Amino acid sequence: MPQQAQLPLGWFVLQAVIFSVLLVVLLHSVVNTLAGPLRVLSSTEGILQLHIPSTLLTVAALLIVSWRQVSPNAQHHLTYPGGPMNTGSQLDTPASPPRSADSPARSRDRHPKRWQRAGLWTVFSLAGLLLLGWLGLQVSPAPFPAVPGTAGVPESIPLPPNLPVPVERFFRLTYGERIPVITSAVITGRATIRPIPGGPTLPARFRFIHEAGHNYRHYIEATWFGLPILRVNESYLDGVSRIELPWQKSEGNLQTAQASNLGLWAETTSMPAVFLIDPRVRWQAVDDATALLIVPFGQAHETFVVRFDPATGRPTLLESMRFKGETDTHKTLWSNELRQWGSFGGVTLPRIGTATWQDDGTPWAVFTTESIDLNTNVRQSVRARGL
């Protein structure tokens, strides 16, 4: 009687990888097939640009692969010495013994073995899918294209007198005796973000557009294998905040406006001259390595504690009390660490920065700035959506 062959482990792994790839393509296809209707219903951006035919083809492939794993006819037999493999044909060959009916015991044994094989295949498929998902998060996205247009030549003003000791040292180190008048900035780069607390860290690319000290717009794309899977449109215009995420849409919330205003001023570290040329901003001395940065918020004000590195003279940390959620009644300590500095247009400015909520303990975002375009015309782009 022929014996049932034991499939090698490598065969299960190969099928698991194939299944994982097909499943990922299927999920992408389904999401993007629905992307158009979702945009109409919820104004949420889609994820990819695949089509219905790819979805149908992937479904068919998955059905075939799955059927092959559990089909009773998908049995492989060992060959007899000196004879060909028994392929289950209706005619017995001279080299093969006559087929005999399965005994009830053998039939009972074969059924659990078939499902045991399917279970093992499923475990390897899930492992392959997790591995594929992890690999996709290790791929950094391509940078956004360069900003069109030509920056204007900035005017300048003398370095103001009577600044706190660490503040004067920093601005003299950065700009010298004259401070450029900056009216706008487009900050572009790449990042890692955790949009959901406790969730996975996603690679991303970003563009922040500022009308200095007044308005901003954020556009962020989180990616997988360099392809966008999550788009964030956020703005703070004329004192009104707007957030648009796949799972959240908010406009005009007071807590969010306070948080957005602090975000605007924290990002102004990429154009720190604004801290001296905006008459609404004030510095207050604390000690030789600390100063208070007081910024406007409507008719009121907010305060950052700015800590400077005595060795380099540059700020390393900005701390403020910020609303974390739309319904919060108490503020949470929010920290912006300036980890690394680089040269942008001949001026040393922050290159790598983080944002951390005290109750999280670790940064929810790490931003790496790759270009800063100053004094370009952003009047329309700051009020647009997307790239």
Side-chain angles (χ1 to χ4, degrees):
M1 180 179 294
Q3 298 177 351
Q4 185 174 349
Q6 299 298 318
L7 297 179
L9 181 62
W11 176 247
F12 287 114
V13 174
L14 177 61
Q15 292 185 92
V17 172
I18 294 174
F19 174 79
S20 300
V21 173
L22 291 174
L23 182 59
V24 170
V25 174
L26 171 63
L27 293 174
H28 282 175
S29 302
V30 169
V31 171
N32 287 278
T33 298
L34 299 176
L38 285 176
R39 277 194 294 268
V40 173
L41 294 175
S42 64
S43 299
T44 298
E45 292 281 353
I47 295 182
L48 293 175
Q49 302 300 324
L50 301 181
H51 305 288
I52 292 178
S54 63
T55 302
L56 298 179
L57 289 174
T58 309
V59 170
L62 283 174
L63 290 175
I64 292 172
V65 173
S66 301
W67 176 81
R68 289 287 297 171
Q69 299 308 308
V70 298
S71 171
N73 296 324
Q75 304 293 327
H76 301 272
H77 296 85
L78 297 175
T79 60
Y80 276 80
M85 180 181 292
N86 183 348
T87 60
S89 62
Q90 298 298 322
L91 297 177
D92 294 326
T93 66
S96 302
R99 298 177 63 188
S100 59
D102 290 344
S103 64
R106 183 181 175 188
S107 297
R108 288 193 300 270
D109 290 343
R110 188 172 59 184
H111 182 74
K113 286 181 180 179
R114 187 166 67 245
W115 288 104
Q116 184 180 31
R117 183 180 65 180
L120 183 61
W121 177 79
T122 301
V123 170
F124 278 113
S125 297
L126 293 175
L129 185 60
L130 290 174
L131 176 61
L132 193 65
W134 178 82
L135 289 175
L137 297 180
Q138 310 312 305
V139 178
S140 182
F144 280 132
V147 176
T150 303
V153 178
E155 301 176 357
S156 64
I157 62 172
L159 180 68
N162 303 320
L163 294 172
V165 171
V167 177
E168 180 181 355
R169 182 174 59 221
F170 165 64
F171 281 103
R172 197 178 296 277
L173 175 68
T174 302
Y175 295 113
E177 296 297 328
R178 297 193 67 84
I179 307 300
V181 177
I182 296 175
T183 58
S184 69
V186 180
I187 308 162
T188 305
R190 284 173 279 192
T192 57
I193 62 173
R194 281 188 297 109
I196 301 176
T201 298
L202 308 178
R205 54 184 181 174
F206 67 90
R207 176 158 287 168
F208 298 162
I209 304 173
H210 280 250
E211 286 183 331
H214 295 276
N215 301 309
Y216 77 69
R217 180 170 68 87
H218 291 167
Y219 179 64
I220 303 172
E221 287 184 351
T223 63
W224 184 74
F225 279 113
L227 302 172
I229 59 173
L230 168 66
R231 291 182 171 94
V232 178
N233 284 281
E234 180 188 4
S235 64
Y236 181 62
L237 303 173
D238 302 321
V240 178
S241 66
R242 177 185 173 87
I243 298 176
E244 189 174 328
L245 298 168
W247 60 86
Q248 177 187 5
K249 187 174 181 180
S250 172
E251 184 172 1
N253 180 271
L254 293 179
Q255 285 88 337
T256 303
Q258 187 266 355
S260 297
N261 183 72
L262 287 176
L264 179 147
W265 289 107
E267 292 167 19
T268 301
T269 53
S270 293
M271 41 180 162
V274 177
F275 292 136
L276 296 183
I277 63 176
D278 192 319
R280 303 169 300 164
V281 176
R282 294 184 291 113
W283 288 95
Q284 184 175 322
V286 176
D287 56 38
D288 287 348
T290 311
L292 300 182
L293 173 62
I294 302 170
V295 298
F297 176 45
Q299 300 302 315
H301 66 270
E302 296 285 345
T303 301
F304 287 93
V305 178
V306 184
R307 306 188 188 278
F308 295 80
D309 184 345
T312 65
R314 296 188 174 95
T316 59
L317 188 67
L318 282 75
E319 297 174 303
S320 59
M321 300 301 295
R322 181 181 182 184
F323 284 116
K324 189 175 183 180
E326 294 184 352
T327 59
D328 287 354
T329 56
H330 299 284
K331 299 175 183 178
T332 302
L333 179 64
W334 185 55
S335 300
N336 300 102
E337 182 183 1
L338 305 177
R339 289 185 174 180
Q340 188 180 115
W341 294 66
S343 179
F344 297 90
V347 179
T348 300
L349 298 171
R351 181 175 177 271
I352 298 178
T354 69
T356 305
W357 294 102
Q358 182 188 39
D359 53 351
D360 289 346
T362 57
W364 70 268
V366 178
F367 296 101
T368 300
T369 299
E370 296 172 334
S371 67
I372 302 175
D373 296 274
L374 301 174
N375 290 354
T376 60
N377 186 353
V378 300
R379 182 171 180 79
Q380 292 185 348
S381 59
V382 79
R383 292 168 175 80
R385 289 181 69 256
L387 187 61

